Amino acid sequence: MCKLALLTERRYLKPKQKNWYIQNILKEDLLVAEALSNLNIKSKRVAWDKPDNLGDFKFALFRTTWNYFDKLNEFYEFLKTWGSKIVFINPYEQIVWNLNKQYLLELSSKGINIPATILIKRGDSICLNKLCQEKKWSEIIVKPCVSAAAWETYRLKCPLTSKQSQLFQGLIAKQDMLIQSFQKKILSFGEISLMIINGIYSHSVLKRAKSGDFRVQDDHGGTVTNYQANHLEIDFAERIIGSLDFSPTYARVDLIVDNNGDLALSELELIEPEMWFRKNVPAANMLAKTIKNRYFNPG
């Protein structure tokens, strides 16, 4: 009997058209499934947004539930409904904590370097031009506290035009937003993604935006290449994980070089991080062993 569900979303479960993007998803899930199978753990892909048979499983590993921010209320309901019936990997509490990017400010309070960040609550009447003037910011990034794949994320030059101010007012009327000082080296260097499994560094990739853009995600034309993180980058990523009040089974730590030339945390992905196992197959085995030791053979 299959004991572990590999959570995806409906459009990726049995896709009729298989472009390069979907092929990568299927390949990665296959690598994880094979690694689990080699340890006698049977798994099956299940769509979180159509979980007809999720009750057949004891565990659920979040893999490619990448539309959760489009269906946020439905996703929260899914977490509530199934969080008490099966064991989530990562656990329910960690996922809920990681859903809101306010965690960046919490980690900052623990001494983790992040880009200069201001939280603006929904409905606030703040003037962004005044904020930029006070902070001496020439460019900013605005993004929702709950978002993924650069959804509703904008790079704006200060002072904002009236059209840009209207754009922001439309965003803040619907959701809490983070305002960050734009970090220029994202354009020249990119963003490093370090995969951390059981608190230990596994492998990394370097993501770069296409010319004329600042978003490094391949959804927006960004590129991904293999990258060998140095000891400073690895130590920083592992220190971030060590600063948490819990120990995630797996995580992706996204790092940038800030405007001061220092390493800074861009995002910490615990919900459904793309792990690029296709670029480092042994990492899938590492995850499978961690899952077996933590959940199937707990000491």
Side-chain angles (χ1 to χ4, degrees):
M1 183 181 77
C2 292
K3 291 186 177 180
L4 190 146
L6 300 175
L7 293 178
T8 185
E9 55 182 85
R10 192 181 311 178
R11 60 181 166 168
Y12 301 145
L13 188 59
K14 295 179 180 178
K16 294 180 181 179
Q17 295 182 340
K18 298 179 181 179
N19 57 23
W20 65 270
Y21 189 86
I22 291 176
Q23 289 284 14
N24 284 341
I25 289 172
L26 298 177
K27 182 176 182 178
E28 298 252 330
D29 278 353
L30 179 61
L31 289 172
V32 174
E34 288 178 341
L36 289 167
S37 179
N38 289 338
L39 298 177
N40 297 315
I41 300 174
K42 292 184 179 180
S43 62
K44 184 178 179 180
R45 300 176 75 239
V46 178
W48 80 269
D49 46 358
K50 194 180 180 182
D52 297 334
N53 60 342
L54 200 54
D56 296 340
F57 299 89
K58 186 175 180 181
F59 304 94
L61 173 65
F62 286 81
R63 288 288 302 136
T64 53
T65 58
W66 294 340
N67 64 342
Y68 72 85
F69 59 91
D70 282 330
K71 304 178 178 181
L72 194 55
N73 290 336
E74 186 179 336
F75 190 64
Y76 274 118
E77 189 62 33
F78 168 83
L79 294 176
K80 283 184 190 177
T81 299
W82 292 102
S84 60
K85 296 179 180 179
I86 61 177
V87 177
F88 286 155
I89 307 171
N90 286 309
Y92 171 85
E93 294 79 10
Q94 297 178 23
I95 291 172
V96 172
W97 177 83
N98 194 228
L99 269 169
N100 194 308
K101 297 183 192 301
Q102 291 184 49
Y103 70 76
L104 288 169
L105 297 171
E106 180 181 329
L107 292 177
S108 177
S109 72
K110 294 183 176 183
I112 301 300
N113 186 40
I114 67 170
T117 301
I118 301 292
L119 168 66
I120 309 296
K121 302 295 287 185
R122 183 178 68 177
D124 200 309
S125 58
I126 188 170
C127 174
L128 277 190
N129 280 331
K130 184 177 180 182
L131 176 65
C132 291
Q133 189 175 23
E134 290 174 351
K135 297 292 183 181
K136 297 181 180 179
W137 291 345
S138 59
E139 284 188 273
I140 58 175
I141 293 292
V142 301
K143 58 186 176 183
C145 286
V146 180
S147 176
W151 177 74
E152 294 283 36
T153 298
Y154 300 93
R155 173 188 176 190
L156 305 175
K157 290 188 177 183
C158 305
L160 278 65
T161 65
S162 59
K163 185 176 181 180
Q164 289 171 333
S165 295
Q166 288 175 2
L167 168 68
F168 178 73
Q169 291 304 320
L171 293 170
I172 202 65
K174 298 181 292 185
Q175 61 216 319
D176 296 346
M177 300 288 293
L178 292 181
I179 314 301
Q180 295 183 315
S181 171
F182 180 66
Q183 307 300 306
K184 298 178 181 178
K185 292 197 175 180
I186 193 73
L187 301 178
S188 58
F189 177 70
E191 179 182 79
I192 310 166
S193 286
L194 296 92
M195 273 45 77
I196 308 292
I197 300 172
N198 201 27
I200 301 170
Y201 168 75
S202 168
H203 62 291
S204 53
V205 298
L206 178 64
K207 298 177 290 184
R208 284 196 169 112
K210 70 178 181 180
S211 179
D213 207 328
F214 69 96
R215 298 167 298 183
V216 297
Q217 293 85 356
D218 53 15
D219 313 58
H220 303 290
T223 58
V224 180
T225 55
N226 287 326
Y227 181 81
Q228 181 53 55
N230 61 42
H231 74 279
L232 291 175
E233 294 158 349
I234 295 171
D235 288 348
F236 185 45
E238 292 183 346
R239 182 162 68 86
I240 290 168
I241 299 299
S243 73
L244 302 175
D245 296 330
F246 49 81
S247 176
T249 299
Y250 66 120
R252 195 185 80 218
V253 180
D254 293 339
L255 302 182
I256 59 172
V257 178
D258 69 15
N259 291 339
N260 295 319
D262 299 320
L263 287 173
L265 173 64
S266 174
E267 300 278 354
L268 173 62
E269 297 285 355
L270 305 180
I271 303 171
E272 30 59 274
E274 183 169 7
M275 299 287 282
W276 288 284
F277 292 124
R278 62 188 182 274
K279 293 184 176 295
N280 190 301
V281 175
N285 300 326
M286 187 175 175
L287 176 61
K289 288 178 182 177
T290 298
I291 290 172
K292 183 169 185 177
N293 291 337
R294 282 199 179 200
Y295 297 95
F296 288 80
N297 298 321

